[in-house]
Amino acid sequence: MSREARAAGCRAAILVSGSGTNLQAFIDRRDAGRLPLDLALVLSNRADAYGLTRARDAGISTNLIAHGDFASREAFDRAIAARLDDSGIELVILAGFMRILSPWFVRRYAGRILNIHPALLPKYPGLDTHRRALEAGDAAHGSTVHFVTEVLDGGPRVLAGRLAIREDDTPASLMRRVQSLEHRIYPEAAAWFGEGRLAYSDGAAWLDGRRLEEPIVEDLDA
Ligand code: GAR
């Protein structure tokens, strides 16, 4: 890796499986000169992920590692790790990466993997979060940025974006509203990491030297 690349800051990889609207939010913030991260690599498990096209258009190196080519989850994860290590990646940003990472991988990058999950965690880990929030009659819904641990969607929470559910919301409208809120909170939380303000230690998230018992919550109109 060149000295110039190092100088640009914390080297981050974004892992995507789909459309990559969150990736685009990172790119837009970078292009606005407000992202203290070097977006060094975009990696996908799916050849048809539109996120790969967004990355190429933004001049970011891309890599496709198809999970179907590997005999086990860990073999797939080891191939990803080899690619991340080749690129000197310091922060792994999961943005709609729809594969569960093996305990091996999570331990390998402990404290250096962020995820965004479309729910106000600890509510609704897993899939179908918007429908579940509506069916439960929740007044609020949102999305949460958290560090990744071996517990699915259960790692220390950093930043949540919250919105009020409207009477006429459907799972589709909620998905759109939550995604637009994600585009604000995810680059923000990752920027904290890039600035050295956010860290993972003793199984907890720390911001500006303070242990976060609860995530920071931003009420957003999306
Ligand atoms: C995002 O809404 C993210 O919260 C969700 O996938 C979407 C990806 O959208 N992630 C999960 O559900 C992970 N459990 P994008 O590809 O347009 O960024």
Side-chain angles (χ1 to χ4, degrees), residues 166-182:
R166 297 177 185 148
E167 218 158 89
D168 60 351
D169 265 323
T170 61
S173 71
L174 261 189
M175 187 188 87
R176 276 193 302 277
R177 294 179 63 213
V178 165
Q179 272 192 343
S180 95
L181 159 167
E182 290 181 331

Side-chain angles (χ1 to χ4, degrees), residues 50-139:
Y50 186 62
L52 289 172
T53 303
R54 293 182 193 273
R56 278 184 218 110
D57 289 350
I60 303 171
S61 301
T62 61
N63 209 242
L64 169 67
I65 300 186
H67 56 271
D69 292 348
F70 296 87
S72 71
R73 194 178 292 280
E74 189 172 314
F76 169 64
D77 286 1
R78 283 183 185 272
I80 294 179
R83 186 67 187 86
L84 297 177
D85 290 349
D86 275 354
S87 297
I89 297 301
E90 296 156 291
L91 175 66
V92 180
I93 297 169
L94 307 181
F97 186 67
M98 303 309 272
R99 302 294 302 171
I100 295 173
L101 295 164
S102 61
W104 175 83
F105 186 94
V106 173
R107 281 197 292 268
R108 172 80 182 67
Y109 294 96
R112 296 191 288 138
I113 315 173
L114 290 173
N115 183 40
I116 191 159
H117 180 74
L120 293 174
L121 291 170
K123 278 188 163 185
Y124 315 128
L127 299 175
D128 224 2
T129 57
H130 310 303
R131 185 187 55 73
R132 288 156 73 196
L134 282 173
E135 283 180 4
D138 290 355

